[in-house]
Amino acid sequence: YTFGAFKVAPREPGDLAGYVPAQVSGANIDDMNAGDLIITELMYNPDFCVDTSCEYVEIYNDSGLDVNLNGLIIEDGAGDSVTVSGNPVLADGAYGIIGRTNWGYQTVTPLAQASLPAFNNGDAGDSVSIANSTITIDVAAGYTSPANQNDDGFAWKFDMATPDATANDNPANWCYAPN
């Protein structure tokens, strides 16, 4: 005991009998196969606040398992990437948003915060992929600007009732969603 802080430590190996370390919930991100997680929305160029605070990626879990996203790699077409840390779990059949650390976008709370400043969606023509340590899990169709209008504040949204990792490769299956 020191200044109000207790420290419990084993005195001998027998003190650890029956100890079971806490288990992290959800399947490991490295257990995912291509198409298990699907990119369903991207905010490339927000107008609510600056890119470095408001860009996000929304993903859908189609794996059949709850998935711990620790180690998920998000990469843009220029090769800038960020790795999700902590232990955010995305339930099977659920959508989750991964956003920048200085989240200031409406009232949505991101499932995970990507804090590395190198990751920045590159506006029109850029693409985004998600991967684990061994494979690419999904790649979204490259973003294209709406014809004859400013694309600030428009998200690139996968427009399918049932998310599908192959269908989201086709730009014709995406639409614009204002923020």
Side-chain angles (χ1 to χ4, degrees), residues 10-85:
R11 296 166 294 186
E12 55 191 62
D15 289 344
L16 294 174
Y19 171 75
V20 177
Q23 298 295 313
V24 175
S25 64
N28 186 307
I29 195 67
D30 283 336
D31 296 332
M32 295 297 100
N33 296 308
D36 282 348
L37 302 175
I38 302 166
I39 299 168
T40 54
E41 185 169 326
L42 303 165
M43 174 51 78
Y44 279 94
N45 201 18
D47 68 356
F48 181 76
C49 58
V50 297
D51 287 0
T52 56
S53 295
C54 291
E55 291 186 341
Y56 65 82
V57 175
E58 178 187 78
I59 58 175
Y60 174 75
N61 179 357
D62 196 34
S63 71
L65 304 166
D66 293 351
V67 179
N68 186 317
L69 299 178
N70 185 47
L72 178 71
I73 302 162
I74 305 168
E75 185 172 338
D76 67 12
D80 298 323
S81 68
V82 63
T83 301
V84 173
S85 60

Side-chain angles (χ1 to χ4, degrees), residues 1-8:
Y1 178 80
T2 305
F3 301 106
F6 291 92
K7 180 178 181 183
V8 178

Side-chain angles (χ1 to χ4, degrees), residues 99-144:
R100 300 297 293 244
T101 296
N102 298 323
W103 194 261
Y105 188 74
Q106 296 181 0
T107 59
V108 179
T109 301
L111 177 67
Q113 296 179 333
S115 61
L116 297 178
F119 178 71
N120 189 37
N121 294 333
D123 301 342
D126 203 357
S127 64
V128 172
S129 65
I130 54 176
N132 59 28
S133 64
T134 57
I135 64 162
T136 298
I137 299 170
D138 191 36
V139 179
Y143 178 76
T144 59

